[in-house]
Amino acid sequence: MALAIAIGLLGHVLARPLGPEQSRWISAIEEATRKALQPEPRAALRAALAELARIDPSPRGRPEIWQRQPGEVLSVDVAGYLSVDGGAAPERLYEVALHEPERTLRTDVLRTLEVRRPDLREVLAWLDARDAFCVTLVLDEDEPIGFVLLRQADRRIPLTLEEARALAVLADRLSSVLSVTAALARARTRELEAQHRAEAAEAECRRLAGVVGNDTGKLRALVEKLAAPARRAAYSAAARGALEHVEKLAERGRGAALVVPPGSDALAWAAHLHLRSAYASGALVIADVLGGTDVHAGLCEEEAPLLRLAEGGTLVVLAITALPREMQERFAINLARRRTRDPEGTMYSPVVVLVVAEPLAATVANGRLASSVARWFVDSEAVLPALRDRPEDLRALALDTLARKSVELGRDLLGIEPSALRMLIEHPWPHNELELESVLGRAAALAQGPAVTASDLERSGFVPIEEPLEESLPARRRRASLRR
């Protein structure tokens, strides 16, 4: 009899109809679920939020849909328009809600548990700051991609099981909608980032173009000045042969790899190549890899601003081996993207000149240069002669250097005595023109007479290095003839 009475009482309770507040929530949630069927994602979200807003039309009762990636908060304003703001919820909220019944996390339940679970306090504080009543997770293949947040407003009774289930159905319906919206938002973000990079690259190109200048006459005069050291003392067979080889590479228009001895003027030879090419009227752009990350980006980014700046001209790349391997590979990709300017597709724009210290095969073998870069220059290599291989040029180089040093010192032009010249010819010049300039600069500062003497060289600290015994006979004969 007692059991029958208990069952009767329980049945009465279960059969009790929902209160007005619960009915209003259930009705709004179910209508929001129906409106979420609209084909256009943003329209579906706006319509669903507008229906949920009927639970409490006041601004403080406004529902929200939170998107996880990218972090966005969607709501409807008083006029019914969809509002999208940036925002991110604590990751802990997703972890906790994922294990709650119907994936719905209730603020009143958290408030009860926080005494025993201090790790929940951050989530509870975040919910309280937004006057949240509950949040229901939206999943995509068991992975949370967002949630529906309903506010406390005037709600005074706990969430019922029927309401929780209705919210879970709504969240399932919103899953595909929110997935599409998130994908579109990510695509838009990537588009904006790409646009920003493109605009930055364009601005960099304009800046560099302004530095170089658009006056062709002035540009050519500057390049001629750069090229002068490679031409001013080309009397030896080695120097003449190197100049002719560089000029042939210039005519081909495919670029070159200049193997430059230490201390030699690489830019002079690169400028000479540019002036002898079909691109002589274009810009000569110099990219020194040791200049930092801006130069790295100019060579390796997809937009390749330095290559674009040199379009129709020549790009000289100094210290390419200092570029990290990954960036060298990206530079090689940009080399492949260059346009060709002849029917055979063999003349590239811009012409690219690499400056290296060793032949390409050795540089690739020791791991300092990517083979994907080297292959563009494998048949366009020019090994420049060291100063020791062109003793016939030493007198002209010495007089030219002394003339420039005399002007810098504000004195009459200096010559050089035969004894001093013999000392210079005897020296092998391991650091080439750079060392020669340093030695003659010190001697010019110490010289008392109209010409630099052997004594001036000795007082400046110059000591000729003994020639190696294995020097070839033709080289010794050439030196002997010069001494006479």
Side-chain angles (χ1 to χ4, degrees):
M1 183 65 178
L3 179 59
I5 293 172
I7 292 174
L9 290 173
L10 181 59
H12 176 71
V13 171
L14 292 174
R16 187 172 57 191
L18 295 172
E21 186 173 30
Q22 296 165 311
S23 296
R24 186 173 73 253
W25 278 58
I26 291 287
S27 174
I29 295 168
E30 289 176 346
E31 188 62 21
T33 303
R34 189 180 68 81
K35 292 292 181 67
L37 286 171
Q38 296 189 31
E40 204 283 312
R42 291 286 182 178
L45 292 171
R46 187 202 64 77
L49 285 167
E51 291 301 326
L52 292 176
R54 292 194 300 108
I55 295 174
D56 187 342
S58 67
R60 67 191 185 95
R62 181 189 304 173
E64 295 173 342
I65 295 176
W66 285 68
Q67 187 171 270
R68 193 177 187 182
Q69 289 293 338
E72 290 183 346
V73 186
L74 295 87
S75 60
V76 290
D77 57 23
V78 292
Y81 292 103
L82 185 67
S83 173
V84 182
D85 300 302
E91 287 298 311
R92 181 65 175 149
L93 184 149
Y94 294 101
E95 297 172 8
V96 176
L98 192 59
H99 301 289
E100 289 296 303
E102 305 298 339
R103 309 186 308 273
T104 297
L105 184 61
R106 296 183 297 161
T107 306
D108 57 343
V109 173
L110 279 185
R111 194 168 286 111
T112 303
L113 294 175
E114 71 161 326
V115 177
R116 292 182 289 108
R117 297 278 304 278
D119 58 306
L120 300 177
R121 289 172 185 169
E122 178 190 358
V123 177
L124 179 61
W126 188 89
L127 293 170
D128 282 339
R130 287 153 184 81
D131 191 31
F133 176 64
C134 65
V135 298
T136 301
L137 287 188
V138 179
L139 303 183
D140 182 17
E141 297 183 355
D142 299 327
E143 181 68 23
I145 60 173
F147 56 82
V148 179
L149 182 148
L150 298 180
R151 299 190 184 278
Q152 181 77 42
D154 295 326
R155 177 87 182 207
R156 293 294 177 264
I157 60 175
L159 189 74
T160 65
L161 182 58
E162 290 84 357
E163 291 169 330
R165 287 174 175 168
L167 283 171
V169 173
L170 171 62
D172 291 339
R173 182 65 52 79
L174 291 174
S175 174
S176 59
V177 178
L178 207 57
S179 296
V180 172
T181 303
L184 291 173
R186 287 193 294 270
R188 177 59 177 162
T189 300
R190 289 193 295 269
E191 180 184 356
L192 291 174
E193 289 174 352
Q195 182 180 348
H196 176 72
R197 288 197 300 271
E199 290 173 352
E202 289 289 347
E204 181 67 5
C205 285
R206 289 194 296 271
R207 185 186 72 82
L208 292 172
V211 172
V212 173
N214 296 319
D215 189 326
T216 305
K218 291 180 180 179
L219 177 61
R220 187 174 182 89
L222 176 60
V223 179
E224 291 280 1
K225 184 176 180 180
L226 283 175
R231 305 169 178 171
R232 63 168 59 107
Y235 302 109
S236 65
R240 289 197 306 271
L243 279 176
E244 290 172 4
H245 184 44
V246 167
E247 288 166 5
K248 288 179 181 177
L249 293 178
E251 291 173 4
R252 292 173 59 191
R254 299 188 62 181
L258 302 181
V259 183
V260 182
S264 292
D265 192 345
L267 284 180
W269 292 86
H272 180 71
L273 183 147
H274 170 73
L275 291 170
R276 290 295 185 270
S277 73
Y279 307 100
S281 60
L284 175 66
V285 179
I286 301 166
D288 186 352
V289 172
L290 299 178
T293 55
D294 287 345
V295 178
H296 298 183
L299 295 173
C300 306
E301 281 187 352
E302 186 174 351
E303 296 82 7
L306 284 176
L307 283 163
R308 291 177 63 186
L309 179 64
E311 180 69 32
T314 303
L315 173 66
V316 181
V317 183
L318 304 176
I320 181 66
T321 54
L323 198 64
R325 176 55 66 93
E326 179 185 352
M327 290 189 173
Q328 288 187 24
E329 299 289 354
R330 286 157 57 186
F331 177 53
I333 293 173
N334 287 336
L335 289 177
R337 290 173 175 163
R338 290 177 297 166
R339 295 188 299 108
T340 56
R341 295 185 59 176
D342 64 318
E344 292 78 19
T346 59
M347 296 181 66
Y348 294 94
S349 179
V351 169
V352 175
V353 178
L354 292 189
V355 175
V356 292
E358 297 178 300
L360 289 179
T363 310
V364 172
N366 62 28
R368 300 184 66 194
L369 183 66
S371 58
S372 57
V373 175
R375 74 179 186 87
W376 290 95
F377 308 93
V378 69
D379 60 345
S380 304
E381 192 171 13
V383 180
L384 305 184
L387 194 53
R388 63 170 295 157
D389 296 326
R390 39 189 295 216
E392 300 95 330
D393 300 332
L394 261 174
R395 183 176 184 277
L397 286 171
L399 290 175
D400 179 78
T401 303
L402 287 172
R404 287 184 286 108
K405 296 299 180 183
S406 299
V407 172
E408 291 175 10
L409 294 169
R411 60 178 299 169
D412 294 336
L413 297 183
L414 283 166
I416 185 166
E417 289 190 352
S419 58
L421 181 60
R422 281 195 296 272
M423 289 179 66
L424 297 181
I425 293 173
E426 292 292 339
H427 187 61
W429 301 105
H431 297 99
N432 297 287
E433 287 92 337
L434 183 63
E435 183 182 1
L436 179 65
E437 285 214 11
S438 176
V439 168
L440 292 179
R442 294 196 304 270
L446 295 172
Q448 300 297 317
V452 170
T453 65
S455 176
D456 294 330
L457 290 175
E458 291 171 354
R459 287 191 299 123
S460 71
F462 175 65
V463 179
I465 299 174
E466 289 289 334
E467 277 297 323
L469 294 177
E470 63 271 15
E471 185 180 21
S472 66
L473 180 59
R476 291 201 301 273
R477 285 176 176 170
R478 185 169 64 247
R479 291 181 183 278
S481 67
L482 288 168
R483 295 187 195 110
R484 292 196 291 269

